[in-house]
Amino acid sequence: MTLAAVSDTGPLIHLAEIDSLELLSTFDTLLVPETVYEEVEAGGVPDGLADLSYELVEAEESQLGSEELDAGERAAIAVAEDRGVVLLTDDLAAREAASAAGIEVHGSIGIIALGYGRGLLDRDEAVSRMRALQRETSLFVTEAVVERGIRMLDER
Amino acid sequence: MAAEISDRVREIAEARGLPESEVFEQALERGLEDLWEDIVLARYLDDELDREEAIDRVGRTKVERAEREREVVEEDVDWGLNA
């Protein structure tokens, strides 16, 4: 199945923090709004982003959930709406706003699971990266929830 | 790591005007609180603890946040394994 997605800033930063940006190569098409790129760039372009194949796109900002979302999140939602692609975000408010509008949304944990599902990672590596995402990155996610996700990998 | 911890303890102690032993005590209390919350939420998510008891122990906000995260992680892992 062909996979196309647009990412907001979160997954790019969180996956970079655990040296896992290469997992985004699982997507046949990866779009990055210019606003998102500028947000990433402001914190220093992470190693690995230059090796990734992605298309920078201009985007209007979506009005969905606009009060609580930042410019990058609104731009990524607008691209997902316009092009009918998966939205990649780790922000719960962005996820809920996009889901309510019928957009398919996934985050960094899903990208690691996708890498495992498609054979890029073995089970131990997928587990290790899920735990690293929880312990070593700026993403806030409850430890018990990540462990539940790991058990789902094992139940596959 | 050990040197970094010592440096941080010294800096916190100086900034707060506390003895380093008290900084260690506070760090232990905070760390234990986090670990306690992890255990309570894990038990709740594993259906070993009912919702009201989990709320009593760690507060409604943390339980509701964990519930939202659980939904997201389950959706994501399911998608990742089947996409």
Side-chain angles (χ1 to χ4, degrees):
Chain A
M1 189 172 80
T2 302
L3 275 177
V6 56
S7 184
D8 79 4
T9 312
L12 297 175
I13 290 175
H14 299 140
L15 291 173
E17 286 175 328
I18 56 167
D19 297 325
S20 294
L21 274 177
E22 85 282 1
L23 294 178
L24 289 168
S25 64
T26 315
F27 293 91
D28 301 287
T29 303
L30 179 65
L31 306 173
V32 177
E34 287 180 353
T35 315
V36 167
Y37 186 83
E38 286 162 11
E39 287 179 359
V40 172
E41 200 176 28
V45 177
D47 292 340
L49 191 58
D51 299 329
L52 203 60
S53 176
Y54 62 90
E55 183 187 340
L56 272 181
V57 290
E58 286 184 27
E60 299 293 323
E61 290 183 12
S62 171
Q63 296 307 305
L64 290 175
S66 57
E67 284 178 11
E68 51 191 341
L69 306 183
D70 68 24
E73 289 158 355
R74 291 199 300 270
I77 289 173
V79 173
E81 261 186 312
D82 186 47
R83 304 203 185 195
V85 298
V86 172
L87 170 68
L88 302 177
T89 183
D90 288 327
D91 184 86
L92 280 179
R95 185 175 183 122
E96 285 168 3
S99 290
I103 296 168
E104 185 176 356
V105 192
H106 300 290
S108 294
I109 285 181
I111 296 164
I112 294 172
L114 181 67
Y116 174 60
R118 297 221 164 176
L120 266 69
L121 302 173
D122 63 23
R123 182 263 177 203
D124 289 350
E125 190 60 30
V127 167
S128 163
R129 293 193 195 199
M130 278 194 185
R131 288 193 175 128
L133 198 62
Q134 193 267 329
R135 291 175 186 168
E136 298 168 22
T137 76
S138 46
L139 171 67
F140 179 84
V141 57
T142 304
E143 184 181 78
V145 174
V146 172
E147 292 303 318
R148 190 176 178 87
I150 288 169
R151 282 204 300 279
M152 286 177 71
L153 292 185
D154 290 335
E155 288 162 6
R156 185 191 189 201
Chain B
M1 188 63 184
E4 190 180 330
I5 289 173
S6 298
D7 290 345
R8 286 185 179 181
V9 168
R10 195 174 307 116
E11 195 169 335
I12 293 165
E14 284 170 8
R16 298 254 173 101
L18 295 172
E20 291 186 14
S21 59
E22 194 166 330
V23 174
F24 275 115
E25 193 177 324
Q26 288 182 11
L28 181 63
E29 282 173 8
R30 281 201 193 183
L32 274 176
E33 184 66 23
D34 280 353
L35 293 171
W36 167 248
E37 286 173 359
D38 286 342
I39 290 293
V40 170
L41 291 172
R43 287 180 179 157
Y44 166 58
L45 294 174
D46 290 342
D47 296 324
E48 293 170 8
L49 193 66
D50 70 37
R51 189 170 190 272
E52 287 312 309
E53 199 164 344
I55 288 171
D56 278 349
R57 293 185 185 186
V58 300
R60 184 174 299 276
T61 303
K62 285 182 174 144
V63 169
E64 288 180 351
R65 167 95 195 183
E67 289 169 342
R68 289 167 77 199
E69 289 175 357
R70 171 174 58 185
E71 193 177 327
V72 162
V73 166
E74 287 179 353
E75 269 179 27
D76 270 15
V77 174
D78 187 52
W79 166 77
L81 295 178
N82 296 294

